[in-house]
Amino acid sequence: MNAHETPVTLTVLAVDDEKPALDELAYLLSAQDEVGRIETASDATTALRILRSGGIDAVFLDIDMPGLDGLELAGVLTQFTERPAIVFVTAHDDRAVDAFDLGAVDYLLKPLRDERLAESVRRVVAQRRVAEPAAADEEGEVIPVELGGVTTLVHRADVQWVEADGDYARLHTAKGSHLVRIPISALEARWEDAGFLRVHRSYLVSLPLVTGIRAVGTGSVVRLRPNGDDPAVELPVSRRHARGLKDRLVRAPRQQWTTR
């Protein structure tokens, strides 16, 4: 943590239907400096009751549970106005795509390793820092970016598009790109109301900069307004995001766009 950052203390909910696994998860979470209060639940119904009472910052969630499973519970959480960060903790390595499609911050495999759990907690903390305005000005939220020991503040208003880069996100602006240790899913959730939309698993775009959608083969690309003499940026649009993109553009009366 940087000296200028306010410490974050998390209230977390651990959910697992197997008591030994739940006890171990709660014990390992209690060893993390950023974790304060820990709630536990052995099924999705109990977990939902706790979550609806509010105050939970993150859920560490098993997938394979009787009744409502972990993925289904996460789907319910996407409807929450203020939803907690979701970290899946599972013995199954074949559900990661589904998990991240639901906006998961991380996906941990059992048996848990201390260092891997610590990394997940750091990701949750990073997401919360994004969710808290770093500065109140006319340009909105800013993101601190560190490079060579120097911290630069990148204004959200200057970000044209965001690219997933492994466990990081790359913010593209007119002056260059900046790699930040924040999952693209966290930025998607935080910036949706500011006019950013996910168009692909790897891309998040600023809707006011969209000038068109163009068909390419069996798919399509979205075109962003160029900077000066620079060529226009074109990014792929996945099929699952295409309809949502078109709907959002239609609902924006001042947005000029065409489908070709």
Side-chain angles (χ1 to χ4, degrees):
M1 183 181 70
N2 293 330
H4 65 277
E5 291 181 337
T6 302
V8 172
T9 301
L10 303 172
T11 297
V12 303
L13 172 63
V15 186
D16 199 308
D17 65 307
E18 297 181 357
K19 190 176 188 307
L22 182 60
D23 290 345
E24 180 189 27
L25 177 57
Y27 173 75
L28 293 174
L29 284 168
S30 69
Q32 303 299 316
D33 292 339
E34 299 90 344
V35 175
R37 184 166 60 93
I38 301 172
E39 299 276 357
T40 61
S42 58
D43 57 74
T45 301
T46 304
L48 274 175
R49 185 171 64 249
I50 295 171
L51 288 162
R52 284 173 175 150
S53 68
I56 300 297
D57 300 312
V59 183
F60 287 76
L61 177 62
D62 186 25
I63 288 180
D64 189 12
M65 296 188 296
L68 199 68
D69 69 20
L71 290 172
E72 292 168 331
L73 175 57
V76 174
L77 294 182
T78 64
Q79 307 303 314
F80 279 37
T81 302
E82 295 182 2
R83 66 172 181 169
I86 300 171
V87 176
F88 285 99
V89 184
T90 177
H92 302 281
D93 61 1
D94 58 347
R95 308 301 297 276
V97 172
D98 295 331
F100 285 112
D101 278 346
L102 288 167
V105 173
D106 208 350
Y107 189 91
L108 301 178
L109 290 177
K110 299 177 181 178
L112 288 175
R113 293 183 291 114
D114 289 343
E115 63 272 19
R116 190 64 184 84
L117 180 63
E119 173 62 22
S120 288
V121 172
R122 286 194 292 270
R123 292 185 186 185
V124 172
V125 170
Q127 184 187 62
R128 284 187 58 79
R129 292 195 192 284
V130 172
E132 297 170 355
D137 60 22
E138 68 279 4
E139 295 183 292
E141 184 180 327
V142 297
I143 299 290
V145 177
E146 293 188 20
L147 181 62
V150 177
T151 299
T152 301
L153 298 180
V154 177
H155 292 272
R156 181 183 61 200
D158 293 332
V159 177
Q160 300 168 331
W161 51 288
V162 180
E163 179 182 9
D165 193 337
D167 294 331
Y168 295 71
R170 187 172 294 277
L171 311 179
H172 291 267
T173 71
K175 296 181 180 179
S177 65
H178 308 274
L179 191 65
V180 294
R181 194 170 186 170
I182 303 170
I184 192 172
S185 58
L187 294 176
E188 175 189 12
R190 173 61 187 175
W191 289 1
E192 180 180 6
D193 292 340
F196 283 80
L197 185 70
R198 192 77 166 264
V199 297
H200 187 276
R201 181 175 298 165
S202 299
Y203 299 106
L204 181 69
V205 302
S206 175
L207 285 175
L209 299 181
V210 173
T211 61
I213 302 173
R214 183 168 65 89
V216 177
T218 59
S220 57
V221 297
V222 62
R223 178 178 294 174
L224 303 184
R225 185 184 308 140
N227 298 310
D229 297 330
D230 293 341
V233 174
E234 291 189 339
L235 303 172
V237 179
S238 66
R239 290 183 179 181
R240 69 183 297 265
H241 290 100
R243 181 178 296 276
L245 172 61
K246 292 178 181 179
D247 287 346
R248 285 289 297 273
L249 292 174
V250 167
R251 293 201 303 268
R254 291 175 294 193
Q255 181 70 47
Q256 298 299 316
W257 68 286
T258 58
T259 302
R260 299 175 187 169

